[in-house]
Amino acid sequence: MYVVSTLERTGPTRQLLYLSTKMQELGHRVWVLTLSPEPKDSLKAIFLDQGVEVLSLNVGRLKSLFVGRARLRKLVADKAVEVVHTQGIRADGLVSGLDPAISRVATLRNYPFEDYPPLYGKLKGWLMAWFHLRALTDVGRVAVVSGSIARSLETNGKLQVEVVHNSVDSQLFCAPSSEERVQSRANLALHPDAFVVVIVGDLIRRKRVPELLLALGRLKARLDVLVVGDGPELDSCKAAVGISSTVRFLGKCEDVRPALWASDVFISNSASEGMPNAVMEAIATGLPCILSDISAHCELVTVANASLPEVTFFSLDKPKQGSVDQLKEGFDAVNDYWLRTGQRRSCDAFSVDAMAEKYCSLYRQGKRS
């Protein structure tokens, strides 16, 4: 049984979809349990289409503190569940009341003391991070999605964890045909010869999109920029580009593939990441990437260990001209890549099978002693 707050359309929910459907393919009985009512932008229908049974406690955050643990315990007993796999602070906080004979596994996709304070405020964020790490001590096995998170937890959280990298559905995220690329550009009203940059992700402080847009403007290059995503930094992003007609904000997209297929390069300026789904999906479609030089981005390239498209790194923490020069070098490398190859090639480096195999191993180890 997989336990999460909701099935909101996010990267972690997409990873859960890959994992739960693969477990069903392997012959396991699978349930997905949500704690709260679904938001408007939910992937629940896709889970159901894949034959995954979705249950819900249908309680809010406050009520779940009082009744969530008892209801989860009853549901697990009624369904004769053998493995409970949680994801997220609320779900991870409910497992302490379960029978120790049940295998318990949790997946942590960020380092809470790094992620929560910018999102929720310094004091509240710190308290949430402390609570989350404390809750994880009641879990049999804890998986994290990158080595950088593992090192932070082992050093500062005193937690022993296993690294299980995210995956990509290579049948969905693959290089476009010539027809798909042409059609994607036409649908987005892009000139066939335009050089298109795509930025994908929530517009939050950690992603540093306003700074990236300012830096792209300083390049004085002829670029069409697509920004796929929404969030509290949207106004700051718009202010960074002023009246530029070459930057288009597409909002959240149900299907990001047309934007990837229409583009020539993917750029991320994140200050920190777990194991970034958006970057992995871009690489899977054969799209060259220019990435901030954070440890998660560097690890992702190492993990791929395959024939990658061009991937270069930059830092906007450098003085202004140095940052612009690094970005220019990245664009030069991408242009050279296109001159050498002339076409996109799919990159099947992030296997769903490998992720599922590692989780199966953790399920066998997840009983708390």
Side-chain angles (χ1 to χ4, degrees), residues 7 35 38 51 77 85 94 99 106-107 112 121 151 157 188 204 217 244 248 279 281 294 312 345:
L7 297 177
L35 303 179
E38 288 301 304
H85 184 165
L94 295 181
D99 184 341
T107 296
R151 289 187 291 274
L188 290 166
I204 56 177
S244 171
R248 295 167 54 194
V279 180
E281 291 166 355
I294 59 174
T312 62
R345 296 183 177 87

Side-chain angles (χ1 to χ4, degrees), residues 99-117:
D99 184 341
I102 294 170
S103 178
R104 286 173 283 186
V105 173
T107 296
L108 192 62
R109 301 186 181 278
N110 57 28
Y111 178 51
F113 281 106
E114 190 174 79
D115 206 46
Y116 292 169

